[in-house]
Every structure is written in structure tokens, then in C-alpha cells.
Amino acid sequence: MTDTYLNLVNSGVTKKLAKQLGLPQPAPLRRHQPGQPLLDGPALVLGSGADADTLAALLAGGPGLGWDLDVHRHAVPDTRYAAVVLVLTEVVHPTELSAPVLAAAGVLKGLARGGRVVTVSREAVADDAPAVAAARQGVDGLLRSLAKELRGGATGNGVVLHAGVPVDAPSSVGALRFFLSRRSAFVDGQLLVVDSSAGTLPDDWDRPLAGRVAVVTGAARGIGASIADTLARDGATVVAVDVPAAGEQLATVANRVRGTALQLDVTADDAGARILEHALQRHGRLDIVVHNAGITRDKLLANMTPDKWDSVLAVNIASQLRINEALLTSGDFTDAPRIVSLASTSGIAGNRGQTNYAASKGGVIGMVRATAPLLTAFGGTANAVAPGFIETDMTARIPALTRQVARRLNSLQQGGLPVDVAETVAFLASPAAGGVVGRVLRVCGQNMVGQ
């Protein structure tokens, strides 16, 4: 769906008028296209110590990466940076944040449109000394606040390393690249924890899923169709799944991505077995399952009926639990498998009139957290993506004024697109995210107060 307001305030006389009136002026986001460079300008890596040196060397063209970025270790006057990477892993007291953070402050006004600010830090844990924990947790507040200050389509995100995970671990590097890239255009104000050194970096960053077979439920339209397109673009063979009533649209998607279609109600008792049987018979394996199928039946809880409550829980969470159980007990889902489930910001912050939907999406978050340890023995992961306001047929039915308000409530002052969710799913499904375990990554333009 087109955001007419965004187009108006970025062109011609209406752009000038909006500026004079002090109206929000969201910048069009720059999204990923295969073959484009990672950054359209130099990157500034700030921070002292071995970790900062290691990341600077990697970005400048480390072995096997081939990024070949123009990397500066100190700010050069009048330089328009495409990215600023703040390496804060060796900070052990809040006062040590001052030098690197204020050095970054000096270049923010000249940050390129669509620029990136990424912090790399350590996770604060209960065993830390008080000063260490204060410094590490301080990065969280710093990054989230900074992301709210950026303009021109720029974003701020953070890679948070669990104890013992080196800065050059595959998933550390993979997460950093994702946040630097245009794939993360609508991911803002997020801190992603890298839990382990697991994972592998792809030989081809444009086709990181080559040779993998992926199932996408709810694939006939909207976000599901975009996920199928994106996984196929990244090299995966896709099995597109949706209900029989959507058969024609499902076939169109499957043909477009050169995959196969499976007409199936995910709430069926044998849904997991049928998905696995189809993937093995048609493609010889199953590596990735994306639980995207979902419905809404919104009502205030005082007006909620059993059919509206039960149907949402059945599709949005009970079906995923049943399918996962079938996969995990099959013995055929063991080659570094990936489960990526669609949660929602409603499942984190709640939303009026969505108690059933929020319960189901909160359930998804709990499910991936508990499922992830069951997959680590096979080099697998389970994670969730939580979209905010995304421009879909569903949000197009929201009353016009409410829709406009919803679009402007995030730091990027616009709705996301289905491809923004798809890019994040593709990252979590990739080998480079093998060390991200049981986490939730929001795709919302930073749309909740305090997060």
C-alpha cells in the first residue's frame, strides 16, 4: 500500500511546505538490492583495544569476507560517513563510554542519508562487578536513545555478545553485517544478543541459503509471499504452504519462486507430518521452517467470544507447537535446522482489543525461547521476528486517520513493508545467525516507548 504522505513531503512544493509547518518528514528508506555494495561510503570504527582493531580489519577486507570497505579509525573532518561502528566490548566502567561516544557525536550531523550506527558490546549479567554491569547495561539505554535521534532514514542498532563470544565469531560478524546493510532498513533501536560462536559465514553473501530447503506457511499473500520471494532470492528452495481456499494465489507464489506448493490447513493434526513428507519427497530434505500463518479476530475482552479466542490461538501458536513437535521427533530435521516464527509487537507491549492475538504472539516468543535449546545439539536455532506496523492488506483496512497515526509513531515515521520482515527472517534463517538462539528481533522502526 502506498504511503501518499511520505511521497508528498519528499517532493516539490509540498516538501518545502511540510518543512515550514514543522510536519513530520519521514525519509524514503533505502532497501537491499542484490549486487549492491554493503555501504555507499566510508565506515568509522570507534573504540580502543583489540576488539575494535579486529573489527576494523574485518570490515576493511578480512580473509574470506571480501567486504573491502573504506574504514577509518579516527574521524576525518568533512567526511560523510555511511556507518559508525562503536566497539564497546572492553568498557568496564560507565565513565569509559565518554571518549568513543562523544567521538561518534562529532560525526552524526554529517551521517549519510540511510546511514547506520551500530554498537558492539557485551551482555550485562548478574555475575558482573557492579561497574561492569552498569557500563554494559548503559549501552542499551544509549543505543535506544540515539536511534530515536537519527534522521534521514538512518538507523541505530546493537550487537550484544554473550560471555566468551569473540567479536569475529560468525554470528557476531553476521549480525553486524545485517545491521550495516540495507536489509535492516526498518529495524531500528534493537539490540540482538549473539549467544554462542556457532554458525558459518557464507561464501556468497547474496545467496547465503543456497542448497537449503525452506517451508513458509501462510505464503499465498502479504508477508508470507514476500518471505518466500526473499528466501528464494537468497538461494533456498521454497515450499509454499497455505489453506486450500488460497490455492490459486499459492500456486502463483510457488511458480514465481520456482518452488512447490502445498495446500494445507496448519491446524490439522497431521500438518507437521505432511509438511515433512512433501519436503522430503519433492526436495530430499528440510532445513528451514518459517511459521508465518496467522489470523486476527479482534474484540475487547469484555466482548470476546469463544470462537474468536480459540481460532486465533489455534492458528497462531497451537499449530506451531504441533508442527515443531512433529519435526523435532522425526529424525529428519537435524542438519543445522532453523525455525523462525512470526511474533508481533502486540505480543510484547499489548494492544487494545487484541488480547487473543497478543496472547498467541506472546506465546510464540515463549515457544522459541524454550524450543531453541532442543535444536542446539544439531547446530540449529529457533528465533522470532516481531513486526510492528507493516503495510499489508490487513493494515489497509484500518481507518485512514488511525492508519496515518500508526505510521508516524515510530522513529522512522512510516510503516514498514513486507520485505522488511522477510529480510529479517532470511537473516535468522541463514548460517551466519547460527549463534543467535531463542531471541526476538523486532521489525518496527522502533515504535514502542522505551524500546
Side-chain angles (χ1 to χ4, degrees), residues 233-440:
R233 180 205 67 192
D234 284 359
T237 299
V238 175
V239 177
V241 177
D242 216 315
V243 293
E248 186 175 343
Q249 290 172 292
L250 185 67
T252 298
V253 172
N255 290 336
R256 184 170 68 235
V257 301
R258 298 184 178 181
T260 56
L262 174 60
Q263 295 184 22
L264 173 69
D265 181 347
V266 295
T267 65
D269 290 341
D270 63 346
R274 289 181 59 189
I275 286 171
L276 187 60
E277 179 184 25
H278 178 100
L280 294 178
Q281 287 188 354
R282 300 294 295 274
H283 308 293
R285 58 187 297 135
L286 178 59
D287 305 292
I288 300 162
V289 173
V290 180
H291 291 296
N292 168 74
I295 62 172
T296 58
R297 298 291 184 268
D298 296 350
K299 281 286 184 182
L300 295 177
L301 184 57
N303 301 323
M304 187 67 66
T305 58
D307 63 312
K308 286 182 169 56
W309 179 273
D310 293 341
S311 61
V312 168
L313 272 292
V315 174
N316 294 4
I317 182 60
S319 67
Q320 296 190 27
L321 289 164
R322 192 179 300 110
I323 290 169
N324 288 351
E325 183 178 7
L327 296 177
L328 291 169
T329 58
S330 69
D332 292 309
F333 192 60
T334 57
D335 185 6
R338 299 284 188 266
I339 294 173
V340 185
S341 292
L342 270 289
S344 168
T345 53
S346 293
I348 300 171
N351 199 24
R352 186 176 186 271
Q354 287 197 319
T355 52
N356 51 356
Y357 185 74
S360 71
K361 295 303 186 179
V364 165
I365 294 169
M367 179 193 70
V368 299
R369 188 183 299 128
T371 301
L374 305 178
L375 293 167
T376 53
F378 311 114
T381 65
N383 292 289
V385 176
F389 184 92
I390 305 296
E391 304 281 359
T392 64
D393 291 341
M394 183 176 71
T395 55
R397 293 193 291 270
I398 297 173
L401 181 59
T402 304
R403 187 168 63 246
Q404 286 295 343
V405 171
R407 284 170 170 158
R408 312 305 162 209
L409 286 179
N410 62 68
S411 297
L412 297 172
Q413 300 181 315
Q414 60 195 283
L417 300 181
V419 70
D420 297 320
V421 180
E423 295 283 14
T424 307
V425 169
F427 162 64
L428 291 174
S430 73
V436 180
V437 182
R439 300 294 175 174
V440 181

Side-chain angles (χ1 to χ4, degrees), residues 53-334:
D53 292 338
T54 296
L55 280 183
L58 283 171
L59 294 176
L65 290 185
W67 296 3
D68 298 323
L69 300 178
D70 179 10
V71 176
H72 298 178
R73 288 292 276 116
H74 301 282
V76 176
D78 302 320
T79 300
R80 196 168 182 82
Y81 287 102
V84 178
V85 180
L86 274 165
V87 185
L88 305 172
T89 50
E90 297 179 55
V91 169
V92 295
H93 194 281
T95 57
E96 295 178 7
L97 293 170
S98 178
V101 170
L102 294 180
V107 302
L108 289 180
K109 288 184 179 179
L111 190 68
R113 291 182 71 81
R116 298 288 186 261
V117 178
V118 183
T119 58
V120 182
S121 61
R122 289 279 171 195
E123 186 178 24
V125 295
D127 292 340
D128 288 336
V132 174
R136 291 175 174 175
Q137 195 64 44
V139 176
D140 184 308
L142 155 71
L143 185 278
R144 294 189 194 277
S145 297
L146 171 58
K148 293 177 183 289
E149 297 177 5
L150 299 174
R151 293 293 179 264
T155 62
N157 292 290
V159 179
V160 182
L161 306 180
H162 191 63
V165 178
V167 293
D168 57 354
S171 291
S172 307
V173 176
L176 176 59
R177 183 182 174 97
F178 174 71
F179 285 141
L180 288 175
S181 75
R182 296 181 183 184
R183 295 174 184 261
S184 61
F186 199 61
V187 180
D188 197 14
Q190 304 307 302
L191 292 115
L192 181 65
V193 176
V194 176
D195 298 276
S196 77
S197 297
T200 57
L201 297 180
D203 295 328
D204 183 350
W205 285 96
D206 275 338
R207 292 182 61 80
L209 301 178
R212 308 288 276 174
V213 175
V215 164
V216 182
T217 68
R221 62 181 67 82
I223 291 173
S226 188
I227 292 171
D229 288 337
T230 303
L231 297 183
R233 180 205 67 192
D234 284 359
T237 299
V238 175
V239 177
V241 177
D242 216 315
V243 293
E248 186 175 343
Q249 290 172 292
L250 185 67
T252 298
V253 172
N255 290 336
R256 184 170 68 235
V257 301
R258 298 184 178 181
T260 56
L262 174 60
Q263 295 184 22
L264 173 69
D265 181 347
V266 295
T267 65
D269 290 341
D270 63 346
R274 289 181 59 189
I275 286 171
L276 187 60
E277 179 184 25
H278 178 100
L280 294 178
Q281 287 188 354
R282 300 294 295 274
H283 308 293
R285 58 187 297 135
L286 178 59
D287 305 292
I288 300 162
V289 173
V290 180
H291 291 296
N292 168 74
I295 62 172
T296 58
R297 298 291 184 268
D298 296 350
K299 281 286 184 182
L300 295 177
L301 184 57
N303 301 323
M304 187 67 66
T305 58
D307 63 312
K308 286 182 169 56
W309 179 273
D310 293 341
S311 61
V312 168
L313 272 292
V315 174
N316 294 4
I317 182 60
S319 67
Q320 296 190 27
L321 289 164
R322 192 179 300 110
I323 290 169
N324 288 351
E325 183 178 7
L327 296 177
L328 291 169
T329 58
S330 69
D332 292 309
F333 192 60
T334 57

